[in-house]
Amino acid sequence: MRNIVTVSVLALLFCLCSSNRLEYRKDYKVRTVVIDAGHGGKDNGCNGKLSHEADVALSLALQVGKLIESNLPDVKVVYTRKTDTFVELIDRAGIANKNNADLFISIHLNSGPAAAYGTETYSMGLHTSKGNLDVAKRENSVILHEDNYKENYGGFDPNSPQSHILFTLHQSAYMDNSLRFAQKVENEFKNKVGRHSRGVKQAGFLVLWKSYMPSVLIECGFLTNPTEEKFLNDKTGQSYMASGIYRAFKDYKRELEAMN
């Protein structure tokens, strides 16, 4: 008799918990997005011949945010910066967490040999190539501009491959949706904007590390490639790129909410 009662209670609790989960999913909406313009202030990021990553990233971030605000009024847009200011990596994730964001989008520009070109979108995860690791190490080196970075990031060394491996599991709970959105971004860049897509990748980025929601880092192209730098600094080119990210977000929001 005792066993029957115990099983009955457990079954009831399971039903109640399942009901709560279903109710949550039924009401789920993508309500808040945080848009992060990489670098800024004393940190220029990478440099082209004519431009700095921090400036181009800010222009793109503001355009993406404006498109969302204008066309999806039910979505709250929060920016980690709207001017040329320096924001520590840990604070960028903190802004997303504080605002209970449903998605965190970090916008960057890439650097490499002059012949390198194309877009790539990253989610948090183990790097599968030296190239992925090199991108993460370059973006993570921003912390060297911060005070007390060893304390803030648990002794993380941006030049150590081992450090990048140790903290990559933190975002695993949000991996599916991070990759879902990343793929939509790259599809837009390739099929609608006409850019060369280098694909969806994974690597250990500190800016994504402590964000408690699906998160991606978008490398919109290489400022070190003269042709891409010209496109990324052109008003029309920026409009195309921002529109691609916006459409990816709109489709991501529609798809997730339809799954309810």
Side-chain angles (χ1 to χ4, degrees):
M1 181 66 180
R2 182 179 298 173
N3 290 339
I4 294 175
V5 172
T6 300
V7 171
S8 299
V9 170
L10 291 173
L12 178 60
L13 288 173
F14 176 79
C15 289
L16 288 173
C17 292
S18 298
S19 175
N20 289 337
R21 284 197 298 270
L22 290 171
E23 182 179 356
Y24 170 77
R25 290 193 62 188
K26 182 179 179 180
D27 295 334
Y28 178 73
K29 301 287 185 182
V30 178
R31 294 185 173 91
T32 304
V33 58
V34 169
I35 302 178
D36 171 48
H39 308 278
K42 60 184 177 181
D43 172 30
N44 285 329
C46 70
N47 300 310
K49 289 186 176 180
L50 306 171
S51 58
H52 304 302
E53 179 179 7
D55 299 328
V56 180
L58 179 60
S59 181
L60 289 170
L62 294 175
Q63 290 184 57
V64 172
K66 184 176 181 180
L67 286 168
I68 295 173
E69 290 167 335
S70 299
N71 296 286
L72 299 171
D74 59 322
V75 177
K76 177 183 178 182
V77 178
V78 178
Y79 303 87
T80 59
R81 68 181 182 96
K82 299 180 75 172
T83 59
D84 185 25
T85 54
F86 179 74
V87 183
E88 294 187 357
L89 294 186
I90 198 168
D91 291 335
R92 296 170 191 260
I95 290 169
N97 295 333
K98 181 179 179 181
N99 284 277
N100 296 313
D102 299 292
L103 182 65
F104 178 77
I105 304 172
S106 189
I107 296 177
H108 291 253
L109 290 306
N110 221 334
S111 71
Y117 68 102
T119 67
E120 49 195 28
T121 302
Y122 286 85
S123 69
M124 188 72 169
L126 290 173
H127 59 273
T128 55
S129 72
K130 182 180 182 298
N132 293 9
L133 174 61
D134 288 344
V135 173
K137 287 169 68 175
R138 180 177 65 81
E139 298 291 2
N140 291 341
S141 66
V142 172
I143 66 172
L144 299 177
H145 291 279
E146 301 180 15
D147 296 327
N148 302 319
Y149 75 86
K150 290 186 178 180
E151 290 78 4
N152 288 340
Y153 303 99
F156 178 86
D157 177 0
N159 296 311
S160 165
Q162 289 75 20
S163 285
H164 288 82
I165 291 171
L166 288 174
F167 71 90
T168 50
L169 296 178
H170 180 83
Q171 267 274 317
S172 59
Y174 312 103
M175 187 66 68
D176 287 349
N177 283 341
S178 296
L179 292 173
R180 183 194 304 271
F181 177 67
Q183 189 61 63
K184 291 182 183 301
V185 171
E186 287 301 311
N187 286 342
E188 286 289 336
F189 287 162
K190 179 180 179 180
N191 299 321
K192 299 290 182 65
V193 187
R195 309 309 293 168
H196 170 64
S197 172
R198 296 163 63 97
V200 172
K201 302 180 179 182
Q202 292 179 274
F205 290 96
L206 282 173
V207 73
L208 307 180
W209 177 29
K210 289 194 175 181
S211 57
Y212 293 97
M213 72 286 302
S215 305
V216 301
L217 185 146
I218 304 172
E219 296 280 6
C220 294
F222 285 78
L223 287 185
T224 47
N225 179 296
T227 302
E228 283 208 330
E229 182 183 20
K230 182 178 179 180
F231 175 81
L232 292 165
N233 280 275
D234 179 75
K235 184 177 180 180
T236 300
Q238 289 190 3
S239 177
Y240 286 157
M241 295 298 289
S243 296
I245 297 172
Y246 160 71
R247 287 191 300 269
F249 174 77
K250 181 181 178 181
D251 189 41
Y252 172 84
K253 170 179 162 64
R254 179 198 59 76
E255 186 173 289
L256 279 193
E257 293 177 355
M259 290 170 64
N260 294 338

